[in-house]
Coordinates of all heavy atoms in Angstrom, one line a residue:
L307 N -61.4 -29.8 58.5 CA -60.0 -30.1 58.9 C -59.1 -28.9 58.5 O -59.2 -28.4 57.4 CB -59.5 -31.4 58.2 CG -59.8 -32.7 58.9 CD1 -61.3 -33.0 59.0 CD2 -59.1 -33.8 58.2
T308 N -58.3 -28.5 59.5 CA -57.4 -27.4 59.2 C -56.1 -27.9 58.4 O -55.4 -27.1 57.9 CB -56.9 -26.8 60.5 OG1 -56.2 -27.7 61.3 CG2 -58.1 -26.2 61.2
R309 N -55.9 -29.2 58.4 CA -54.7 -29.8 57.7 C -55.0 -31.2 57.4 O -56.0 -31.8 57.9 CB -53.4 -29.6 58.5 CG -53.5 -30.2 59.9 CD -52.3 -30.0 60.7 NE -52.4 -30.5 62.1 CZ -52.2 -31.7 62.5 NH1 -51.9 -32.6 61.7 NH2 -52.4 -32.0 63.8
D310 N -54.2 -31.9 56.6 CA -54.4 -33.3 56.3 C -54.1 -34.1 57.6 O -53.2 -33.7 58.4 CB -53.4 -33.8 55.3 CG -53.7 -33.1 53.9 OD1 -54.9 -32.7 53.7 OD2 -52.8 -33.2 53.0
P311 N -54.9 -35.2 57.8 CA -54.6 -36.0 59.0 C -53.2 -36.6 59.0 O -52.7 -36.9 57.9 CB -55.7 -37.1 58.9 CG -56.7 -36.6 58.0 CD -56.0 -35.7 57.0
E312 N -52.6 -36.6 60.2 CA -51.3 -37.2 60.3 C -51.4 -38.6 60.8 O -51.7 -38.9 62.0 CB -50.4 -36.3 61.3 CG -49.0 -36.8 61.5 CD -48.2 -35.9 62.4 OE1 -48.8 -34.9 62.9 OE2 -47.1 -36.3 62.7
L313 N -51.1 -39.6 59.9 CA -51.2 -41.0 60.3 C -49.9 -41.6 60.7 O -48.9 -41.4 60.0 CB -51.8 -41.8 59.1 CG -52.0 -43.3 59.3 CD1 -53.1 -43.5 60.3 CD2 -52.4 -43.9 57.9
R314 N -49.9 -42.2 61.8 CA -48.7 -42.9 62.3 C -49.0 -44.2 62.9 O -50.2 -44.6 63.0 CB -48.0 -42.0 63.5 CG -47.5 -40.7 63.0 CD -47.1 -39.8 64.2 NE -48.3 -39.5 65.0 CZ -48.2 -39.4 66.4 NH1 -47.1 -39.6 67.0 NH2 -49.3 -39.1 67.1
Y315 N -48.0 -45.0 63.2 CA -48.2 -46.3 63.8 C -47.4 -46.5 65.1 O -46.2 -46.0 65.1 CB -47.8 -47.4 62.8 CG -48.7 -47.5 61.6 CD1 -48.5 -46.7 60.5 CD2 -49.8 -48.4 61.6 CE1 -49.4 -46.7 59.4 CE2 -50.7 -48.4 60.5 CZ -50.4 -47.6 59.4 OH -51.3 -47.7 58.3
T316 N -47.9 -47.1 66.0 CA -47.2 -47.4 67.3 C -46.3 -48.5 67.1 O -46.3 -49.2 66.1 CB -48.2 -47.7 68.4 OG1 -49.0 -48.9 68.1 CG2 -49.2 -46.5 68.6
Q317 N -45.5 -48.7 68.1 CA -44.5 -49.9 68.1 C -45.3 -51.2 68.0 O -44.7 -52.2 67.4 CB -43.6 -49.8 69.3 CG -42.7 -48.6 69.4 CD -41.8 -48.6 70.6 OE1 -42.0 -49.5 71.5 NE2 -40.9 -47.7 70.6
G318 N -46.5 -51.2 68.5 CA -47.3 -52.5 68.4 C -48.0 -52.6 67.1 O -48.7 -53.6 66.9
G319 N -47.9 -51.7 66.2 CA -48.5 -51.7 64.9 C -49.9 -51.1 64.8 O -50.6 -51.3 63.8
A320 N -50.4 -50.5 65.9 CA -51.7 -49.9 65.8 C -51.6 -48.5 65.1 O -50.7 -47.7 65.4 CB -52.2 -49.7 67.3
A321 N -52.6 -48.3 64.3 CA -52.6 -47.0 63.5 C -53.3 -45.9 64.4 O -54.3 -46.2 65.1 CB -53.4 -47.2 62.2
V322 N -52.8 -44.7 64.3 CA -53.3 -43.6 65.0 C -53.2 -42.4 64.1 O -52.1 -42.1 63.6 CB -52.7 -43.4 66.4 CG1 -51.2 -43.3 66.3 CG2 -53.3 -42.2 67.1
A323 N -54.3 -41.6 64.0 CA -54.3 -40.4 63.2 C -54.7 -39.2 64.1 O -55.6 -39.3 64.9 CB -55.2 -40.5 62.0
T324 N -54.0 -38.1 64.0 CA -54.3 -36.9 64.7 C -54.6 -35.8 63.7 O -54.1 -35.7 62.6 CB -53.1 -36.4 65.6 OG1 -52.0 -36.3 64.8 CG2 -52.9 -37.5 66.7
F325 N -55.6 -34.9 64.1 CA -56.0 -33.8 63.2 C -56.6 -32.8 64.1 O -56.9 -33.0 65.2 CB -57.0 -34.3 62.1 CG -58.2 -34.9 62.6 CD1 -59.4 -34.2 62.8 CD2 -58.3 -36.3 63.0 CE1 -60.5 -34.7 63.3 CE2 -59.4 -36.8 63.5 CZ -60.6 -36.1 63.7
T326 N -56.8 -31.6 63.4 CA -57.4 -30.5 64.1 C -58.7 -30.1 63.4 O -58.6 -29.9 62.2 CB -56.4 -29.2 64.2 OG1 -55.2 -29.6 64.9 CG2 -57.1 -28.1 64.9

Side-chain angles (χ1 to χ4, degrees):
L307 273 67
T308 60
R309 55 183 173 84
D310 294 342
E312 182 180 355
L313 181 64
R314 296 172 295 146
Y315 291 88
T316 63
Q317 295 180 353
V322 54
T324 56
F325 60 93
T326 301

